[in-house]
C-alpha cells in the first residue's frame, strides 16, 4: 500500500484559478461552471467562494482548484490563472499570480495596466461581445469560452454540457450562454 | 465662492466600505455633523455592533469600542456608570438590537440609562447575508424565509421603538428614515435631540432609522429608497413615538407619563 | 455541494426533525439550507431563533420530546451555547451541535481557524462533563460524520459536536450521500410526551444531595469510558516507516497531507496521524507510534491546543515540535512542507536511500 502511494507522488497536476469581479457579473457561476466541468471530466475539484465582509461593497471572487489527486488546500495564495472581470479585481490579484501564469482581463471595462512582465495577459472584450450578442449578462460566458481555449483545462463541449444541466428548464438561456461561450472560444 | 459642503471634522478621511445606496453611510455622516455642531466630538464614545457597521470606527473620528453581538446597551451602561461625563451611544442593527439584544435594550431603557441608541432598521441581517430580522416584513423573502415570512411560524415584524416606549426610563424615541433629503434632515434633528436628552441627564433615548439595504433586498439604490417609502413605512410609521424630555426634570423624579 | 449544505442534507437524511439556528458567518448556508429544505418537510420544524442562547435551549426542548435535533453556529455563537450544552450533558439528552469555527478570540475573523479545540474537547461549559467531538476534513466527511453524530448522540445519550471550520463549510467538493432520508422519523423511547398510560417522568439535574449528583457524575463517566473504548477514530497516512509524524486534524490535516506527499517525493520519510474523534482522543494509537517514530510535529491552525493531548499521549518518550498559524490565516501546503523539511534535517532524521 505504501509503495503504491509513493509512485503517484511524482506527477502532480494542480491548477488553481481565481475568478473575480463585481457582484452581478456572474463570477461565482464561472467558477461553478469550471468546477462542474472538471468534475465531470473525472478530476478532483474544490471550489471556494469569498464570503462575509469581503463581499460588502459589491465585489466577489472564487477559487477553483483542479487536480489529478486529492486537493490539499482549496485556497490559492499564488494562482496559476486569474480572471479579472473589473478594475478592482485586476489591482487586487495581479501580483498574486504565479510567474508564467495567465491573467484574463475583461478589457471592455478595464484599463489593462499590468506591471509584471512574467505573466501572460489576455485581453478579452467580454462585455462588448456580450453586448453585440444582445445579452450583456453573458459577458462571463464569453470570458469562460476564451478561458477554456487558452488554458485547455476543460473541453468546450464539457462546459456546454454543464450549461445544459444548469439551465435544465430554460432553453433560451442555454442558447444564449452557448453562443457567448463559443464567441469567446473563437476569439483565439 | 461659498463652500456649502464639506467633510465634517468628526468624519475620518476614508472611503466607506458600505454597498452603494446603503443607509449606514448616510447615518454615519449625520452623526458626525451632529457631533461637530454640538461640539461633543471629544466627549462621545460609540459602541458599534457586529454587523455591517462593525467598522464604524474606520469613519467616525471618536472613541469607539466594539461590543459582543446584542450586548451594546449593557456595555454602554457599564461605560456610562463608570464615567458619567461621557456621552455614550450604541449603534445597532435590527438583528443586534431587536433579536439577540432585546433584553439588554429593554432593561437599559427601563433603568433610564443616560445613553443613546442609534437603531438601524433595514429589515434584514445585512452582514451575514440577508437573513430574516425581527423587523422583516410579513411575506418578505429573505435567505431564511425563502418562501416569504410566514407570520404563523415566524411571527410579525417587531416594532421595537413602540415596545421600548412603554418603559418609563425611556425619554425620547423617534422613528425616521434616510430615503429622501427631507427625511434625512429629520433624522439629523432626531439624533440631535437624542443626544440632548442624554446631555440633560434625562434618561434613555433611541432613534430608529429606516435604512435601505439594496444588496440584500436585491434592488438598485433608487428602488430601495422607494421601497422604504412605500412598504417599510406602512409597518413602521415615521414620527415621534415618545418625548418626555420637556416634562421630566433632570432628577427624573417627575414622571411625564 | 457546499460543505455547509452537505451537513444540512446529511442531517435531514439522518432523520433530523428540528433545527434551530441563528445567523453567523461562516455557517449561514447551513441555516439557510434548513430554512429551505427542512422547514417544509412533514413533521419537521425550522426556527431562526433570536439568539444562540435561545437556539440551544430550543434544541434542549426538542430533545426532551425525543426527536433528532440539531443547531449550528460559529465560534462566538458556540460560546453562548455552552450553558445549554452543559444542561444537555447533565440531562443525558442527545443533540448535534455544529461549529463551523472561525478565528478568535472575540469577534475575531470569519476566516477558518481551529482555535476552539479546547472549548470543544474540554466540555466548554460548567460542570464535569464531556461531549463527543468529531473533526471532518473534507466535504464528504462533513456529511458522513454528521450522520454518525446523530447515531452516536442517540446511542450514548450525549451531545455531539462537529468541529468544522470556515474553509470546509464554504468549499464545494464532489460528494456522495450514503443514506436516504428515513420514511419514518425516529422518536426516542424516553421522550417526554405526556404521562399517558405510564408513570410521569422528570428530567432534572438539580439536587440538594451532593451524593446524588455524584452518582450522576459517576454514571456519566462510566459511559464516557465506554465511548473512549468503542468510538475513538483516527486516520493514519504513511506512518509505517515514518521518521517524522505530523499530527493534525480537520482542515489542517488535509493541508498537511499535501505537504507530506511532496516531502515523500523528496525522499523524506514523513507520515500523518489525524484524530477524527477529538474527544475521545486517540491517545493509545499515538503512544504506539512512539515506538516507530522518532519525532512528532503537531500542526494546527491555532497557537497550540491539540498539542497538549499529543504530549499526554507521547508521555515524554519522543520530542514534539509545533507549527501553527492562528487568527484565521490558512497556511499553504508548501509552507508546511518548508517547516517539515527544516525540522527533518535539524533533527538529523534518516532519508530514503
Ligand atoms: C454571538 C454572535 N452571534 C452571531 C454573530 C454573527 N452576526 C454578525 S452581525 C449579525 C447581525 C447583523 O444584522 P443587523 O444587526 O441587522 O445589522 P446589519 O448588518 O443589517 O447592519 C450577526 C448575526 C455574532 N457576531 N455573534
Ligand atoms: S449589506 Fe446592506 S446594510 Fe450591509 S453595507 Fe450592504 S447595503 Fe448596507
Amino acid at each position: 500500500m505504501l509503495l503504491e502511494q509513493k509512485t503517484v507522488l511524482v506527477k502532480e497536476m494542480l491548477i488553481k484559478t481565481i475568478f473575480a469581479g463585481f457582484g452581478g457579473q456572474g463570477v461565482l457561476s464561472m467558477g461553478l461552471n469550471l468546477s462542474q466541468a472538471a468534475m465531470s471530466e473525472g478530476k478532483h475539484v474544490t471550489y471556494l467562494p469569498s464570503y462575509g465582509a469581503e463581499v460588502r461593497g459589491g465585489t466577489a471572487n472564487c477559487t477553483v482548484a483542479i487536480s489529478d489527486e486529492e486537493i490539499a488546500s482549496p485556497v490559492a495564495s499564488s494562482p496559476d490563472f486569474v480572471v479579472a472581470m473589473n478594475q478592482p479585481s485586476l489591482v487586487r490579484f495581479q501580483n498574486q499570480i504565479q510567474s508564467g501564469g495567465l491573467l484574463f482581463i475583461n478589457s471592455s471595462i478595464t484599463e489593462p495596466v499590468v506591471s509584471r512582465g512574467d505573466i501572460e495577459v489576455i485581453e478579452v472584450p467580454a462585455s462588448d461581445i456580450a453586448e453585440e450578442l444582445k445579452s450583456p449578462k453573458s459577458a462571463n460566458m464569453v470570458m469562460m469560452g476564451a478561458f477554456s481555449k487558452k488554458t485547455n483545462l476543460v473541453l468546450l463541449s464539457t462546459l456546454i454540457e454543464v450549461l445544459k444541466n444548469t439551465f435544465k428548464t430554460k432553453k433560451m438561456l442555454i442558447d444564449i450562454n452557448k453562443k457567448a461561450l463559443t464567441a469567446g472560444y473563437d476569439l483565439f | 465662492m461659498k463652500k456649502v459642503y464639506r467633510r465634517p471634522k468628526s468624519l475620518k478621511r476614508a472611503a466607506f466600505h458600505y454597498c452603494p445606496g446603503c443607509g449606514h453611510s448616510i447615518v454615519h455622516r449625520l452623526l458626525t455633523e451632529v457631533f461637530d455642531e454640538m461640539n461633543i466630538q471629544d466627549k462621545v464614545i460609540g459602541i458599534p455592533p457586529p454587523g455591517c457597521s462593525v467598522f464604524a470606527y474606520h469613519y467616525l473620528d471618536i472613541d469607539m469600542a466594539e461590543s459582543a453581538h446584542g450586548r451594546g446597551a449593557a456595555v454602554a451602561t457599564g461605560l456610562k456608570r463608570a464615567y458619567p461625563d461621557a456621552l455614550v451611544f450604541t449603534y445597532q442593527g435590527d438583528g443586534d438590537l431587536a433579536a439577540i439584544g432585546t433584553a439588554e435594550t429593554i432593561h437599559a431603557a427601563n433603568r433610564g440609562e443616560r445613553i443613546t441608541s442609534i437603531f438601524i432598521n433595514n429589515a434584514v441581517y445585512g452582514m451575514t447575508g440577508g437573513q430574516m430580522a425581527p423587523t422583516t416584513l410579513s411575506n418578505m423573502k429573505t435567505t431564511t424565509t425563502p418562501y416569504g415570512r410566514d407570520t404563523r411560524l415566524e411571527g410579525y415584524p417587531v416594532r421595537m421603538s413602540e415596545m421600548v416606549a412603554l418603559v418609563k426610563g425611556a425619554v425620547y424615541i423617534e422613528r425616521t428614515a434616510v430615503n429622501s433629503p427631507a427625511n434625512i434632515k429629520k433624522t439629523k434633528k432626531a439624533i440631535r435631540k437624542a443626544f440632548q436628552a442624554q446631555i440633560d441627564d434625562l434618561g434613555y433615548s433611541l432613534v430608529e432609522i429606516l435604512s435601505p439595504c439594496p444588496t440584500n433586498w436585491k434592488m438598485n439604490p433608487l428602488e430601495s429608497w422607494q421601497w422604504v417609502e412605500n412598504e417599510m413605512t406602512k409597518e413602521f410609521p415615521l414620527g415621534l413615538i415618545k418625548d418626555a424630555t420637556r416634562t421630566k426634570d433632570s432628577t427624573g423624579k417627575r414622571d411625564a407619563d | 455541494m457546499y460543505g455547509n449544505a452537505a451537513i444540512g442534507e446529511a442531517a435531514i437524511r439522518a432523520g433530523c426533525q428540528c433545527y434551530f439556528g441563528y445567523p453567523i458567518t461562516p455557517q449561514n448556508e447551513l441555516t439557510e439550507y434548513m430554512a429551505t429544505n427542512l422547514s417544509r418537510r412533514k413533521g419537521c420544524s425550522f426556527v431562526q431563533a433570536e439568539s444562540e442562547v435561545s437556539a440551544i435551549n430550543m434544541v434542549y426542548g426538542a430533545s426532551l420530546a425525543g426527536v433528532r435535533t440539531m443547531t449550528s453556529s460559529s465560534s462566538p455563537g458556540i460560546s453562548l451555547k455552552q450553558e445549554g450544552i452543559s444542561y444537555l450533558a447533565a440531562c443525558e439528552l442527545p443533540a448535534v451541535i455544529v461549529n463551523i469555527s472561525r478565528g478568535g478570540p472575540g469577534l475575531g475573523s470569519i476566516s477558518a481557524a481551529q482555535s476552539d479545540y479546547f472549548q470543544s474537547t474540554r466540555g466548554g461549559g460548567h460542570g464535569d462533563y464531556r461531549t463527543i467531538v468529531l473533526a471532518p476534513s473534507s466535504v464528504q466527511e462533513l456529511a458522513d460524520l454528521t450522520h454518525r453524530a446523530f447515531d452516536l448522540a442517540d446511542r450514548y445519550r450525549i451531545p455531539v459536536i462537529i468541529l468544522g471550520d470556515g474553509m470546509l463549510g464554504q468549499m464545494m467538493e464532489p460528494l456522495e450521500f450514503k443514506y436516504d432520508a428515513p420514511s419514518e422519523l425516529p422518536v426516542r423511547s424516553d421522550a417526554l410526551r405526556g404521562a399517558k398510560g405510564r408513570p410521569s417522568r422528570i428530567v432534572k439535574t438539580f439536587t440538594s444531595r451532593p451524593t446524588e449528583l455524584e452518582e450522576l457524575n459517576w454514571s456519566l463517566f462510566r459511559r464516557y469510558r465506554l465511548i473512549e473504548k468503542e468510538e475513538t477514530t483516527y486516520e493514519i497516512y504513511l506512518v509505517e516507516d515514518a521518521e517524522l509524524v505530523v499530527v493534525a486534524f480537520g482542515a489542517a490535516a488535509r493541508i498537511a497531507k499535501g505537504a507530506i506527499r511532496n516531502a515523500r517525493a523528496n525522499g523524506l520519510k514523513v507520515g500523518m496521524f489525524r484524530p477524527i474523534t477529538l474527544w475521545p482522543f486517540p491517545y493509545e494509537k499515538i503512544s504506539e507510534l512512539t515506538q516507530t517514530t522518532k519525532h512528532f510535529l503537531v500542526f494546527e491552525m491555532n497557537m497550540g491546543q491539540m498539542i497538549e493531548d499529543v504530549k499526554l499521549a507521547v508521555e515524554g518518550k519522543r520530542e514534539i515540535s509545533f507549527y501553527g498559524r492562528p487568527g484565521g490565516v490558512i497556511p499553504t501546503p508548501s509552507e508546511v512542507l518548508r517547516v517539515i523539511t527544516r525540522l527533518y534535517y535539524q533533527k538529523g532524521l534518516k532519508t530514503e536511500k
Side-chain angles (χ1 to χ4, degrees), chain A residues 56, chain B residues 18-19 22 24 52 122 213-216:
Chain A
R56 291 291 158 272
Chain B
Y18 299 111
C19 311
C22 175
H24 280 303
C52 283
N122 57 13
C213 174
T215 301
N216 287 308

Side-chain angles (χ1 to χ4, degrees), chain B residues 210-225:
Chain B
L210 306 187
S211 167
C213 174
T215 301
N216 287 308
W217 297 353
K218 304 195 172 25
M219 295 176 190
N220 67 36
L222 182 64
E223 287 163 359
S224 70
W225 282 40

Side-chain angles (χ1 to χ4, degrees), chain C residues 62-68 92-94 154 157 186-191:
Chain C
S63 189
L64 282 174
V67 307
R68 289 195 157 182
E92 302 170 74
L93 290 169
D154 276 357
R157 285 179 291 127
V187 175
R188 283 197 330 275
S189 59
D190 61 349

